[in-house]
Amino acid sequence: MSATTADRETETASIREALRTALREELLADDDVFIMGQDEEDGGSFEVTAGLHDEFGFDRVRNTPISEAAQVGAGVGAAATGMRPVVNLSFADFVGVCFDQVMNQAGKTRYMFGGASEVPLTIRAIEGAGLNAAAQHSGTVHTLVAHLPGVKAVAPGTPAAAKGLMKSAVRSDDPVVFFENKTIYERHGPVPVDDDFTVPIGEASVEQEGEDVTVVATQRLLGESLAAARDVDASVEVIDPRSLYPLDTDTLAASLRKTGRLVVADESPLSYGLHAEIVTRVVEDAFWSVDAPVQRVGVPDTPIPFSPSQEDEVVPDADDVRRAIERTF
């Protein structure tokens, strides 16, 4: 089922503004919440937290050294001892530097202590290509984290989902890695204004209903898929999974049973990734509903090139989604 903005007072806001509002509301609501990361006292690399240091001070919003391992390690320790830290991992490519802290500490602590210890840690991981930022600052790596037992992974594609999921992440007693695509911070949309609005982790959203083909699209490719849907001679259902783990298989499979055709669009490498996981889960549940070969839209198995023309060549867009939809007929 989808958590929607229906029957709520809304305002138009960007994803950047929605994230900032969510963090501000959680800082106000709970004294155990604090933010740390590189340049956080100046709003972080993409100004998501602009103004929060001035409002809440050093004890609640603070800079860290340029060390992702130290940032996440400190976050795990603070969370395990009762705080609710939000750590900004400015470029998700560097999750590799702190993989032990994410995989072996944050993800396994509750299990290893028989549920006696919790790690309410939120890691903001900014990812995605399109800014000519070169290979080490342009990757989409959420598949790596979604693979880890004990760690939740979310990746909103709309401002409302950004606000609602961020509040759920901060309130979660489990570690949540919150993936933000850096190219859609200025995507605008309706956002509920009340501070009780949340989006449950693990619920997909049907962003556009259709009858002929289902497109499951994440982050930037959600907007590209909605644009592609307007350019084809078919009724297209577009779904934002929002949560990568746990994944709302029921909503995705129900859509495939209705349409019989499926396209998965995600800006990550095609091999061994989110595309395969979504296809497998949906086909397991709705195999007899599949009327055409399932199509995938993603990045070829390559680092993102620095050259703008080569980057444009490998990063998928609405035309790629449109061609994938057409191949299902």
Side-chain angles (χ1 to χ4, degrees):
M1 296 296 293
S2 302
T4 71
T5 60
D7 302 324
R8 292 178 179 273
E9 181 183 355
T10 64
E11 62 181 0
T12 300
S14 67
I15 287 180
R16 178 185 285 106
E17 292 166 337
L19 290 170
R20 185 184 303 139
T21 298
L23 291 167
R24 182 177 182 273
E25 289 176 354
E26 294 310 296
L27 285 164
L28 287 169
D30 188 344
D31 290 339
D32 290 333
V33 176
F34 74 97
I35 297 172
M36 61 179 173
Q38 298 165 28
D39 301 320
E40 280 305 293
E41 293 174 22
D42 294 317
S45 300
F46 295 91
E47 300 181 344
V48 169
T49 53
L52 297 183
H53 172 73
D54 294 338
E55 181 174 358
F56 293 95
F58 177 77
D59 287 344
R60 309 291 302 283
V61 181
R62 63 173 60 184
N63 288 342
T64 65
I66 303 176
S67 170
E68 286 78 8
Q71 292 171 231
V72 178
V76 172
T81 51
M83 303 297 287
R84 290 188 177 274
V86 179
V87 175
N88 179 10
L89 194 63
S90 297
F91 292 91
D93 307 71
F94 297 103
V95 71
V97 177
C98 52
F99 219 61
D100 179 70
Q101 287 82 348
V102 176
M103 180 177 71
N104 280 324
Q105 311 308 328
K108 296 178 181 175
T109 293
R110 179 196 285 272
Y111 177 82
M112 292 176 66
F113 287 90
S117 181
E118 299 171 336
V119 183
L121 166 67
T122 300
I123 300 174
R124 293 181 49 226
I126 300 167
E127 63 177 1
L131 298 184
N132 310 135
Q136 294 182 333
H137 297 77
S138 301
T140 299
V141 300
H142 47 240
T143 292
L144 300 176
V145 172
H147 183 71
L148 302 175
V151 180
K152 297 176 180 176
V154 301
T158 66
K163 179 182 179 182
L165 279 173
M166 178 58 77
K167 293 170 72 71
S168 292
V170 174
R171 297 179 188 185
S172 173
D173 290 330
D174 295 312
V176 180
V177 181
F178 196 102
F179 289 96
E180 303 168 17
N181 186 289
K182 65 172 72 73
T183 66
I184 59 172
Y185 277 132
E186 282 304 306
R187 178 179 290 173
H188 284 69
V191 179
V193 298
D194 61 280
D195 57 13
D196 290 330
F197 171 71
T198 60
V199 171
I201 295 173
E203 289 192 5
S205 171
V206 179
E207 294 293 316
Q208 174 176 297
E209 294 189 355
E211 302 294 331
D212 299 331
V213 57
T214 297
V215 177
V216 180
T218 64
Q219 299 178 309
R220 182 183 60 83
L221 286 177
L222 174 63
E224 298 291 310
S225 296
L226 290 168
R230 295 191 291 269
D231 198 32
V232 296
D233 186 20
S235 174
V236 183
E237 184 147 292
V238 181
I239 300 177
D240 179 3
R242 302 191 296 198
S243 293
L244 311 181
Y245 188 87
L247 183 67
D248 184 1
T249 307
D250 290 345
T251 294
L252 307 185
S255 181
L256 178 60
R257 291 191 191 95
K258 179 172 64 173
T259 67
R261 294 174 173 83
L262 175 65
V263 174
V264 180
D266 178 66
E267 189 189 304
S268 61
L270 285 167
S271 292
Y272 300 97
L274 183 68
H275 310 81
E277 182 65 24
I278 289 175
V279 170
T280 300
R281 290 195 184 205
V282 173
V283 170
E284 282 176 343
D285 278 20
F287 175 77
W288 300 109
S289 300
V290 180
D291 295 330
V294 175
Q295 300 295 312
R296 297 179 297 164
V297 177
V299 174
D301 296 337
T302 175
I304 300 299
F306 187 27
S307 163
S309 60
Q310 293 182 14
E311 183 181 53
D312 291 343
E313 185 69 23
V314 303
V315 176
D317 60 15
D319 285 339
D320 295 300
V321 178
R322 175 182 55 77
R323 286 191 286 269
I325 292 172
E326 293 171 346
R327 287 196 296 272
T328 67
F329 291 95

